[in-house]
Amino acid sequence: MNMRLGLAMVMAALCAGCAGVSVQTIQRMGRAGDTEALLRVYAEAESDEVRLAVIEALSLHPADAAARDLLRREAAGAARADVRRVAMRALSGDLAAEATVVLIGGLADPFPEVREIARQTLSARGREAQPSLLGAAQQNPNPWVREAALRLALAAARRNADLRADAERAALEALRDESARVRAAAVEELERLAYPAARAPLNDMRFSDPDESVRALAERAVARLPRTEDSLPLLAVLPFRETGGTPPPGSRRLGEELAEYLTARLAAAGTCRVVDRSRMQEALAELQRAGIALYDGDAPNAPELGRFHLARQLVYGSLQRRGSAITLIVSRMDVSTLEIVPGSAVTVSGFVEDLEALQDELVRRFLATFR
């Protein structure tokens, strides 16, 4: 009897009573490459110790189709966490897309150790896993998976410059995710990427995100993102026109106060550069001395203001009062074309007693136009 036939007979005899197969015997089966016998042992095993030993033995043979199927199935759906853990680790040698899908599902496993194995294995796959990770970050129904997949994809992008563009787009998209944990992950990862184009949407999130912790993260990210001053538009904020109602004697015009408030908020936002108020006042005073109106109807007198070379864009608006009702309107005009910047017009309406809240809403929505 030759050695190979003898081994086969031994395996067959052992599998006739798989409940009594020892771990050492299973390990020998694995080294011998007898995946068929290992699968029979697994099917008839009565203890988790045997099942775990079989999974570890099968992991030595990732090219065997039946072994791969069993490992994927157990990694995804075994009832016991230790079985899922060992099967998930065994998938490190299975580079097929089907295994990547199982690993991505493991990112939401209820047991932290299983999640960590899935995360580490996906991270080790590098660019090969990137398309699947980006897809999961945007489309997986589980927010835990979306968050973890996004973080893995952005980590790969930090290591590989050619992966950045798609990862940055995915992160910007994730800022609008319905889950606060996913939005928070997107904010943190964009900050780590030091992605300047994220400044505008992150600045909007500082005020608009419904989750307080996400707003705080966005605040921190905006402060830390690199500034590219030359690429930011230079704005001059004009006093708002006022129509309807008469301010009390000796009081400052509300349109001037609103312009100062808007100037301060724009300067702090980092989405643009703003002409200093003192320089703006000098230009306005010179116009007044020359008898030139600041506004020509509803629009600013851009040709005259253009002589001062103050800014590329003018921020202007109106404050309209009718009884206790009030409407605030703001827009941006390009000085070179005399056209309103597309999408820049914002209107809010309410009552005089809610003026402070209306100002905040106007600024928040106006900042969002800088995306």
Side-chain angles (χ1 to χ4, degrees), residues 222-246:
V222 168
R224 294 180 177 180
L225 282 176
R227 295 177 180 271
T228 54
E229 295 290 340
D230 291 342
S231 65
L232 299 178
L234 178 61
L235 310 182
V237 182
L238 307 182
F240 280 44
R241 293 175 58 250
E242 294 185 49
T243 61
T246 303

Side-chain angles (χ1 to χ4, degrees), residues 278-303:
S278 61
R279 187 178 173 208
M280 190 72 229
Q281 291 296 341
E282 290 175 3
L284 296 178
E286 187 169 335
L287 283 180
Q288 189 174 21
R289 286 193 296 270
I292 299 173
L294 177 60
Y295 281 90
D296 182 7
D298 292 333
N301 198 335

Side-chain angles (χ1 to χ4, degrees), residues 236-241 252-266 274-275 277 280-281 284 295 315-317 319 330 359 362-363:
V237 182
L238 307 182
F240 280 44
R241 293 175 58 250
R252 295 186 63 199
R253 294 179 65 247
L254 191 54
E256 294 177 359
E257 294 180 355
L258 183 54
E260 289 187 6
Y261 177 74
L262 183 57
T263 297
R265 290 289 297 272
L266 287 172
V274 184
V275 173
R277 287 298 295 170
M280 190 72 229
Q281 291 296 341
L284 296 178
Y295 281 90
V315 177
Y316 68 100
L319 186 154
V330 65
Q359 287 183 150
L362 182 78
V363 171

